[in-house]
């Protein structure tokens, strides 16, 4: 069997996290059957025009990697009705929860969902198509021997750099200081990104348009102070 005989799902990069949790409640299972197909990013490997995915014209396109329960994505969609947001999440229960948050709202026109691994989506998108990318509380993989699994790093930064427009923002948050140090090192070393921070208020505080996430709340309850890193994509050489 060759690689091209495999279904797209089987060709996805190996994912080390959880794909599903408890059985879905009937309402959420129904949303997976009815709403998800209406707002899903088309499966397959064909190139995609992200702005063309949405039910109406959008002024900007954002990507959220690993949206978890979707609180941030749904909040940003409600606050920015002219922005199209593509959200990717492997965890079935998280996808179903996002659907429950946006069901019946105008966000169903401006949110598109990939229930799957964002690493399979990124190569299908054209260069400089994103105004913003969010990677919020990514799985920290704190053990050194698992460091290669950390999303921010040498495997994914080249794609994020390719996809972001000049001046586009990459926003990363974590309450795991090993992860923050790791992400900072890889982002600062990367030639295409500039750190927007002027001082501690910028990484200890929250951007004005911040929407809290579930993992952020968990960290705060446990007494850990999350850090927010904001980088911009440098202008491309002409
Ligand atoms: C720790 S949770 C954080 C969820 C959410 N961003 C929050 O702050 O509450 C990380 C999420 O990223 C998802 N994830 C990790 N790698 C991913 C990938 N390559 N593509 C899509 N989702 C991914 C996991 O399934 C998990 O739900």
């Amino acid at each position: 069997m060759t690689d091209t005989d495999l279904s797209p799902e089987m060709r996805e990069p190996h994912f080390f996290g959880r794909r599903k949790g408890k059985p879905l409640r009937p309402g959420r299972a129904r949303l997976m059957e009815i709403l998800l197909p209406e707002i899903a990013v088309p499966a397959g490997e064909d190139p995609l025009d992200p702005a063309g995915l949405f039910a109406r014209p959008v002024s900007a396109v954002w990507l959220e990697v690993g949206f978890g329960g979707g609180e941030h994505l749904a909040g940003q969609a409600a606050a920015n009705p002219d922005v199209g947001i593509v959200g990717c999440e492997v965890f079935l229960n998280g996808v179903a929860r996002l659907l429950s948050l946006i069901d019946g709202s105008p966000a169903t026109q401006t949110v598109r969902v990939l229930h799957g691994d964002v690493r399979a989506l990124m190569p299908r998108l054209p260069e400089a198509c994103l105004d913003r990318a969010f990677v919020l509380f990514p799985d920290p993989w704190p053990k050194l021997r698992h460091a290669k699994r950390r999303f921010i790093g040498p495997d994914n930064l080249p794609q994020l750099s390719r996809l972001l427009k000049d001046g586009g923002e990459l926003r990363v948050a974590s309450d795991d200081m090993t992860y923050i140090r790791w992400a900072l090192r890889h982002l600062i070393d990367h030639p295409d990104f500039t750190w927007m921070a002027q001082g501690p208020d910028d990484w200890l505080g929250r951007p004005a348009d911040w929407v809290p996430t579930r993992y952020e709340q968990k960290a705060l309850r446990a007494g850990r102070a999350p850090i927010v890193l904001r980088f911009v994509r440098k202008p491309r050489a002409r």
Side-chain angles (χ1 to χ4, degrees), residues 12-19 64-72 87-92 94-95 114-120 122 134-141 149-151 156 173 175 210-218:
E12 271 193 1
H14 187 70
F15 177 70
F16 291 96
R18 267 198 323 163
R19 286 188 176 269
E64 182 163 346
V65 175
F67 57 71
E71 302 81 11
H72 176 267
C88 300
E89 176 54 63
V90 178
F91 188 53
L92 171 92
V95 174
L114 176 80
H115 175 203
D117 196 314
V118 72
R119 291 171 297 171
M122 291 193 295
F134 298 96
V135 183
L136 304 179
F137 300 87
D139 298 314
W141 299 113
R149 300 178 188 178
R150 295 174 190 156
F151 190 82
N156 297 317
D175 57 300
W210 184 254
V211 177
T213 85
R214 185 181 289 198
Y215 272 77
E216 176 188 19
Q217 301 305 309
K218 241 169 106 168

Side-chain angles (χ1 to χ4, degrees), residues 37-238:
E38 283 174 23
I39 66 167
V41 172
E45 297 188 340
D46 292 345
L48 290 168
D49 164 25
L53 293 172
F54 304 100
R56 56 187 167 83
V58 292
S59 63
V61 177
W62 297 352
L63 172 72
E64 182 163 346
V65 175
F67 57 71
E71 302 81 11
H72 176 267
L73 201 163
Q76 291 287 8
N80 301 281
D82 58 324
V83 174
I85 311 183
V86 177
C88 300
E89 176 54 63
V90 178
F91 188 53
L92 171 92
N93 305 61
V95 174
R97 164 132 170 93
L98 169 72
L99 298 180
S100 74
L101 294 178
I102 64 172
D103 183 32
S105 81
T108 53
Q109 302 191 323
T110 55
V111 170
R112 290 295 173 263
V113 176
L114 176 80
H115 175 203
D117 196 314
V118 72
R119 291 171 297 171
L121 172 71
M122 291 193 295
R124 300 172 63 196
L125 299 175
E127 174 155 6
C129 65
L130 299 179
D131 297 85
R132 221 184 247 197
F134 298 96
V135 183
L136 304 179
F137 300 87
D139 298 314
W141 299 113
K143 292 183 182 150
L144 191 59
R145 70 172 191 277
H146 294 148
K148 253 187 82 61
R149 300 178 188 178
R150 295 174 190 156
F151 190 82
I152 297 295
D155 290 343
N156 297 317
L157 283 181
Q159 278 293 3
L160 289 171
S161 148
R162 185 182 72 81
L163 295 177
L164 280 165
K165 293 181 182 171
D166 292 359
E169 179 181 341
L170 171 59
R171 196 177 285 185
V172 180
S174 181
D175 57 300
D176 184 292
M177 291 312 122
T178 305
Y179 199 98
I180 287 292
R181 278 193 295 275
W182 168 274
L184 262 181
R185 176 158 68 79
H186 286 280
L187 282 161
I188 288 170
D189 285 352
H190 197 287
D192 298 342
F193 291 101
T194 306
W195 196 7
M196 294 163 74
Q198 308 285 316
D201 284 354
D202 292 309
W203 60 82
L204 294 173
R206 295 287 173 272
D209 62 351
W210 184 254
V211 177
T213 85
R214 185 181 289 198
Y215 272 77
E216 176 188 19
Q217 301 305 309
K218 241 169 106 168
L220 289 169
R221 282 196 300 273
R224 293 188 301 274
I227 301 285
V228 180
L229 303 177
R230 302 176 72 188
F231 280 73
V232 285
R233 201 319 176 172
K234 286 183 190 160
R236 288 162 174 79
R238 306 263 168 227

